[in-house]
Amino acid sequence: MIAALNQPGLLRGGFLIIAAALAGCGQRETPVEAAVATQTLHVGSAGEPSELDPHVINAPPDFKIVPMLFEGLLNGDPATLQPRPGVAASWELSPDRLTYTFHLRPDARWSNGDPVTAADFLYSWRRALTPALGSQYTFLLSAVVGADDFAAGRTSDFTTVGFAAPDAATLTITLRQPTPYFLGNLANNPIWSPVHRATIEAAGGMATRGSGWTKPETMVGNGPFRLTAWRPNEVIRIEKAATYWDAANVRLQAIVFHAFDNYETEERAYRAGQLHLTAKLPVAKLPAYRAQPDSPLHEVDSLIDRYININTQRPPFDDLRVRRAFALAIDRTLVARAVYNDLIAPAWGVVPTGMPDYAATPLFADDAAAAAALLADAGFPGGAGFPDVELSVESGASNKLPEALQARWRDILGVNVKIMQSETRVHWSRLNQRDFTLSIGGWIADYPDPTAMLDLWKTGSGWNFTGWSSPAYDAALAAAAATPGVEERRAKLHAAERILIEAMPVIPVGFERNPRLVRPEVHGLQDNPLDRPDYRPVWLEAAGA
């Protein structure tokens, strides 16, 4: 999942209404204290969601909300991410480790009372893979037989894809080869969620985007909460769904997500007692919160990779020596300390050091002298003759990474770098059209396996904005995928990462922890490295009660 650089909100009218209402009643409690009685959790959201359709979402706020509205076959444990039952009450794997059989629970219901059936999942997976829908996350289904061919339009026969429903309560998924991370992928990604067929068809059909079916008055979901209000750029309210199969164990009655355009404003709203928890925290505030006794600060070890995309088809960055010069010129230890207040660890690879069962190791080193020599060897000694370069960033960034990179490349390479800020949609449009030279980006792993990072730069990946393609890299990943042994597979994945770093289509910068503030009234919230909060076990209780 994409890791946003911008620090998403303006204080929204919803808060002012709450405050006015409390004042009118003579209530002296803050909004979050008063919310304990109604079990209504107030959450900061990093901006407005791109969508609430599980098959087309693509922004960080989406992944905090959609899993509460739609439930797939499995759920990721909120702490360990390990798969646990969702709509599927049980499952088994065939002896050849290629076919999973899932048994649906009979009490799974849509929010309108309809039963959730195997046919709902088949319809939904076909929709997710339909080329005309244009989902950017079809790569998460590529382990399934025939999924890539269907998503690419090489076949329109969905019966060739490895999904089947022997009966209304049974589903089978057949893989191209044994895939050790498959259940983790299935449990932690909304693209596997079902959607309500009748609702989709009434709104224009499976391939119609933006049809309006995700509005509160029309949405039908199957998750623990249902959508009841959506005021764009202000608030989204979801309420406990009485139809959810495990409703008895959902203690919150409602969650209100408040959109913010920057983390500074969000942090002020938290201090004013208007949020129970924040999406992020400005890095400049970290030292003060770290120094507090009984601090509300949570710094979560996360699988977040911060890097710089390079347009490898735009001269002079089509020259490997230039790309490596820009990579080696960065002082990552200084960036971690001075820019991020040690919120990140320096990265000399793209797979985070906290990735389970990988043992990531540095694949290159910061070396200012070598960087200058490489640029000179490429024909630009001391930066002479090097064209001005644009570094693209999303507007609203509150850290100083762009300026730090700009200064470092000027001082070490003699290169003039201009910082180009664009509104989020413009920024991503330029990336998709490869209308950039350098661009700060990042990624949060979609599941706890190295391929969640490495697959981004495969040929044909919807998230490979660099224009770089390597048959050797693709072959190395394919070889790892076909290797059953844990040690042998790990070695082949390491080999693939080395190919990527030697070509340097992206410049690793740091592996980021996720900081947020949590009020003492919040109980049962478990941190996880994918930054996917599960609100099912959460409840509110007065501080000190």
Side-chain angles (χ1 to χ4, degrees):
M1 181 185 72
I2 200 80
L5 174 69
N6 64 310
Q7 314 265 335
L10 299 174
L11 190 60
R12 300 301 183 183
F15 285 140
L16 301 179
I17 292 170
I18 293 171
L22 292 174
C25 297
Q27 175 62 266
R28 302 176 69 89
E29 293 177 303
T30 64
V32 293
E33 291 170 335
V36 171
T38 60
Q39 288 296 300
T40 300
L41 183 72
H42 290 273
V43 180
S45 177
E48 176 72 2
S50 67
E51 245 294 2
L52 295 181
D53 180 336
H55 299 156
V56 299
I57 59 175
N58 62 13
D62 315 354
F63 289 83
K64 308 290 183 68
I65 303 172
V66 168
M68 295 296 99
L69 299 171
F70 298 91
E71 181 176 69
L73 293 173
L74 306 179
N75 292 314
D77 184 274
T80 68
L81 306 178
Q82 292 302 305
R84 64 181 192 181
V87 176
S90 62
W91 62 92
E92 60 262 1
L93 177 61
S94 62
D96 62 4
R97 298 183 296 123
L98 292 176
T99 300
Y100 288 88
T101 301
F102 298 90
H103 305 283
L104 309 191
R105 59 180 72 253
D107 51 350
R109 291 287 183 275
W110 293 100
S111 55
N112 68 350
D114 291 348
V116 180
T117 68
D120 291 326
F121 280 93
L122 291 186
Y123 173 84
S124 302
W125 294 335
R126 178 170 185 163
R127 176 178 187 260
L129 288 170
T130 294
L133 185 68
S135 173
Q136 290 180 275
Y137 280 88
T138 58
F139 69 92
L140 292 175
L141 282 68
S142 65
V144 179
V145 167
D148 285 345
D149 287 337
F150 192 87
R154 290 188 289 269
T155 179
S156 58
D157 183 0
F158 192 66
T159 64
T160 63
V161 184
F163 297 124
D167 56 59
T170 309
L171 280 163
T172 63
I173 301 178
T174 302
L175 309 183
R176 294 184 289 110
Q177 57 203 14
T179 306
Y181 57 86
F182 178 71
L183 290 181
N185 175 357
L186 188 69
N188 290 289
N189 288 294
I191 195 169
W192 294 97
S193 300
V195 291
H196 189 251
R197 179 171 186 163
T199 299
I200 299 295
E201 293 299 320
M206 67 162 56
T208 304
R209 294 179 70 134
S211 64
W213 74 269
T214 55
K215 294 178 180 178
E217 60 269 22
T218 52
M219 178 183 283
V220 175
N222 72 321
F225 294 85
R226 60 187 181 88
L227 181 67
T228 58
W230 186 358
R231 298 200 301 275
N233 296 306
E234 293 187 17
V235 298
I236 287 176
R237 181 183 178 90
I238 63 177
E239 297 181 2
K240 180 178 176 178
T243 52
Y244 182 57
W245 64 269
D246 198 27
N249 290 314
V250 177
R251 299 175 67 171
L252 290 173
Q253 294 300 309
I255 306 173
V256 182
F257 297 90
H258 300 267
F260 287 85
D261 296 323
N262 64 74
Y263 294 154
E264 287 83 1
T265 310
E266 183 187 26
E267 189 267 343
R268 289 196 295 272
Y270 175 87
R271 286 190 283 112
Q274 295 166 327
L275 291 176
H276 289 105
L277 58 123
T278 65
K280 293 284 186 182
L281 178 70
V283 294
K285 302 279 187 178
L286 287 170
Y289 278 103
R290 286 168 176 161
Q292 287 184 18
D294 299 320
S295 177
L297 174 62
H298 289 216
E299 294 186 63
V300 184
D301 290 331
S302 300
L303 299 177
I304 302 176
D305 189 359
R306 184 68 59 195
Y307 52 79
I308 302 160
N309 288 296
I310 302 175
N311 185 345
T312 64
Q313 297 183 352
R314 178 172 290 183
F317 290 92
D318 55 348
D319 188 326
L320 173 59
R321 293 169 296 183
V322 172
R323 300 198 296 270
R324 291 193 65 82
F326 272 68
L328 271 57
I330 300 172
D331 184 339
R332 288 162 178 78
T333 301
L334 178 62
V335 166
R337 182 177 69 251
V339 175
Y340 284 95
N341 272 319
D342 295 315
L343 185 67
I344 70 171
W348 294 284
V350 296
V351 180
T353 51
M355 186 66 72
D357 300 321
Y358 188 66
T361 57
L363 297 176
F364 67 102
D366 300 346
D367 190 330
L374 279 165
L375 199 67
D377 189 50
F380 306 102
F386 202 91
D388 288 351
V389 176
E390 282 189 359
L391 175 64
S392 299
V393 300
E394 291 179 80
S395 57
S398 69
N399 69 48
K400 300 301 181 182
L401 179 60
E403 291 82 2
L405 295 170
Q406 180 187 53
R408 186 70 177 175
W409 288 329
R410 180 192 62 229
D411 296 345
I412 301 302
L413 302 178
V415 171
N416 181 36
V417 175
K418 298 178 180 179
I419 298 170
M420 173 65 72
Q421 291 198 8
S422 301
E423 184 268 336
T424 297
R425 292 191 179 186
V426 174
H427 176 81
W428 289 107
S429 175
R430 292 186 65 196
L431 278 178
N432 280 310
Q433 296 173 32
R434 208 167 295 135
D435 180 23
F436 73 99
T437 302
L438 302 174
S439 178
I440 296 178
W443 192 261
I444 305 173
D446 289 296
Y447 50 89
D449 187 84
T451 57
M453 297 298 185
L454 296 175
D455 281 357
L456 298 180
W457 294 285
K458 287 168 58 175
T459 301
S461 166
W463 298 103
N464 182 2
F465 305 115
T466 69
W468 176 77
S469 176
S470 167
Y473 183 69
D474 297 342
L477 289 176
T483 302
V486 174
E487 296 292 337
E488 296 87 348
R489 177 176 182 269
R490 182 187 301 132
K492 291 179 180 179
L493 290 173
H494 276 290
E497 188 180 12
R498 281 193 294 273
I499 292 171
L500 178 71
I501 294 302
E502 286 170 4
M504 205 66 78
V506 292
I507 299 174
V509 175
F511 302 132
E512 194 171 328
R513 293 195 306 282
N514 188 33
R516 63 181 178 184
L517 302 173
V518 182
R519 295 240 346 156
E521 291 89 355
V522 178
H523 297 269
L525 183 67
Q526 299 188 60
D527 298 321
N528 71 69
L530 299 188
D531 193 23
R532 307 272 178 90
D534 185 347
Y535 297 109
R536 274 168 281 219
V538 174
W539 77 95
L540 298 174
E541 188 173 303

